[in-house]
Amino acid sequence: MISPKFFIDTLKGFGIGFFAGVPDSLLKNICAYISDNVDDKHNIITANEGGAIGLAAGYHLATGNIPVVYMQNSGQGNVINPLASLTDKDVYNIPVLLIIGWRGKPGIHDEPQHVKQGKITLQLLDTMGIKHDVLSKDEPEAAQQIESAVNYMRSSNEVFALVVEKDTFDTYKLQKNEVRKEYEMSRENAIKKVAETISEKDVVVSTTGMISRELFEYRTAKNQTHEKDFLTVGSMGHASQIALGIALEKTDRKVWCFDGDGAAIMHMGSMAIIGQSNPKNYVHVVFNNGAHDSVGGQPTVGLKINLPQIAKSCGYDYVFDVEIESALDETLKKIKTISGLVFLQICVRKGNRKDLGRPTTTPIQNKTALMEFLKK
């Protein structure tokens, strides 16, 4: 394995010291080391991966130096446009070092949403004409790969990608203590509270990661079926639009979107579309813990911005913001009597229980059951 310190020190030796991106579980050790050893001006966790490419391009324009953008391979979809129409040699010819966590690598068991992306990770880079290497787990060999990548980028001004397999980086625990408010409710308990108030005909669309896993376990613990829930296991940031598509067609049912702060921020423009579409049967719930909990707990800006005010400005009819369980109980009672577009932010603690399971149904089984339920 590679020591995160060795990796970052090697990059610094070539004058590389700017980092931007979206965290990934395969990169959590290196991201933690960067957080502890790079100032906030030179390490920015972005809303989405495409934004990180834009930020990196701006840094290069201002300094002439090579920036780093880190991401999970699922984020390749978000970077195709800026890589093809901004940094590409046929446009502005801007060098960026990509560090890509390779989830779903063929032959390695992973979750369903990573299987396809894992198969096409290297193919996408080839299609875009981006030179790449699978980062070695041997430090001397990795150092040679970094040197070759830097030489290539300096001579060509083109993008280069280092693809990172599971267990490439040694363990590193974040040392920096983040000062944050300790909220009363856990996310799992808040999900249970909301799920308990949902009517028989209502539908839930839950975002990727812990929220869908916790909702699934709630249904299982209650001996309930899962037919009312669409568990968005991938497509981070798009659950709210899936829910909107259902709500606009099924106006006789209330549709609940169980969203996360990182997902909501990743494609925040979706809130504007929801507001302007203004379905009266839509409840957008954001469980906000200010963290990317599913990939290591790295911070988002979720608790530093006013999501309820953004929702209000986007045209939501009713906006609620709760931090304590008693307030959530009262708010849910109100929502049950409301006809109108609702936004509910629930501020919750960071983290989840260690024995949290995963959905035991396949995505296709989930889709089929929901579609049958919507016919009733």
Side-chain angles (χ1 to χ4, degrees):
M1 289 187 185
I2 301 173
S3 157
K5 182 180 187 305
F6 174 85
F7 184 79
I8 297 304
D9 284 350
T10 303
L11 291 179
K12 286 182 177 179
F14 291 104
I16 297 175
F18 179 87
F19 304 85
V22 177
D24 168 44
S25 57
L26 298 190
L27 304 178
K28 65 181 179 182
N29 295 319
I30 196 70
C31 286
Y33 186 85
I34 293 169
S35 294
D36 276 343
N37 294 277
V38 178
D39 64 78
D40 291 343
K41 182 180 175 181
H42 294 92
N43 177 39
I44 300 174
I45 297 177
T46 55
N48 58 58
E49 296 84 358
I53 297 294
L55 186 60
Y59 169 81
H60 175 76
L61 293 173
T63 66
N65 296 328
I66 296 171
V68 174
V69 169
Y70 51 84
M71 71 186 81
Q72 186 182 105
N73 53 347
S74 62
Q76 285 179 282
N78 285 332
V79 299
I80 287 174
N81 176 262
L83 287 176
S85 63
L86 174 64
T87 60
D88 191 81
K89 65 180 179 180
D90 291 332
V91 192
Y92 291 104
N93 198 199
I94 294 173
V96 180
L97 177 61
L98 305 178
I99 301 177
I100 303 172
W102 195 356
R103 295 294 304 271
K105 179 186 174 184
I108 305 295
H109 175 72
D110 212 323
E111 298 307 308
Q113 67 269 29
H114 297 300
V115 173
K116 182 67 173 184
Q117 191 68 47
K119 291 178 182 177
I120 64 173
T121 293
L122 302 184
Q123 295 173 24
L124 282 173
L125 294 171
D126 289 334
T127 298
M128 289 187 288
I130 294 174
K131 288 195 69 172
H132 53 86
D133 240 337
V134 177
L135 186 63
S136 172
K137 297 178 184 180
D138 174 73
E139 288 186 349
E141 187 175 345
Q144 291 178 354
Q145 289 176 312
I146 292 169
E147 182 177 8
S148 295
V150 171
N151 289 338
Y152 171 78
M153 289 184 287
R154 285 178 175 170
S155 64
S156 67
N157 275 339
E158 292 191 49
V159 173
F160 191 95
L162 291 174
V163 180
V164 179
E165 299 173 291
K166 186 178 181 181
D167 297 327
T168 293
F169 291 111
D170 267 334
T171 300
Y172 178 87
K173 292 189 177 181
L174 187 69
Q175 304 299 309
K176 187 185 293 182
N177 290 319
E178 183 187 3
V179 178
R180 51 186 292 134
K181 185 174 179 177
E182 189 68 12
Y183 290 102
E184 175 185 308
M185 288 181 285
S186 69
R187 182 187 53 244
E188 186 168 16
N189 188 47
I191 287 171
K192 290 177 182 178
K193 284 279 183 183
V194 180
E196 284 169 357
T197 71
I198 291 174
S199 300
E200 282 301 311
K201 287 190 67 177
D202 291 358
V203 175
V204 179
V205 177
S206 56
T207 191
T208 188
M210 297 299 179
I211 290 175
S212 282
R213 291 169 63 181
E214 288 168 346
L215 176 61
F216 189 91
E217 291 235 328
Y218 163 79
R219 298 288 192 205
T220 301
K222 291 289 185 178
N223 292 316
Q224 297 177 2
T225 64
H226 304 280
E227 63 181 357
K228 297 195 293 185
D229 307 328
F230 185 82
L231 309 174
T232 315
V233 294
S235 302
M236 182 172 172
H238 295 299
S240 66
Q241 294 295 279
I242 298 169
L244 177 61
I246 296 172
L248 291 173
E249 294 298 323
K250 297 294 181 179
T251 55
D252 61 325
R253 302 172 184 263
K254 189 163 280 188
V255 179
W256 300 69
C257 176
F258 283 14
D259 220 346
D261 52 292
I265 291 166
M266 179 168 278
H267 296 295
M268 196 182 289
S270 293
M271 290 174 66
I273 304 305
I274 295 166
Q276 292 309 298
S277 299
N278 201 245
K280 302 303 183 184
N281 59 329
Y282 190 113
V283 184
H284 191 175
V285 186
V286 174
F287 299 92
N288 189 351
N289 65 358
H292 287 288
D293 240 358
S294 297
V295 291
Q298 299 88 347
T300 73
V301 296
L303 295 172
K304 298 177 182 178
I305 63 175
N306 194 330
L307 284 172
Q309 186 60 53
I310 292 167
K312 186 176 181 180
S313 298
C314 286
Y316 286 68
D317 297 319
Y318 301 94
V319 174
F320 302 97
D321 185 11
V322 301
E323 299 181 2
I324 60 175
E325 193 168 322
S326 59
L328 177 58
D329 290 337
E330 290 302 312
T331 300
L332 290 171
K333 289 177 185 177
K334 291 178 185 177
I335 290 173
K336 284 183 72 71
T337 67
I338 286 173
S339 175
L341 175 58
V342 175
F343 182 88
L344 169 59
Q345 173 174 272
I346 307 174
C347 295
V348 295
R349 294 195 302 269
K350 179 180 172 182
N352 57 275
R353 57 185 170 88
K354 301 304 179 187
D355 61 346
L356 181 65
R358 295 180 181 274
T360 55
T361 56
T362 68
I364 291 176
Q365 288 171 333
N366 177 210
K367 177 201 75 171
T368 302
L370 176 78
M371 292 182 73
E372 288 300 317
F373 175 71
L374 289 173
K375 292 176 183 178
K376 296 177 182 178

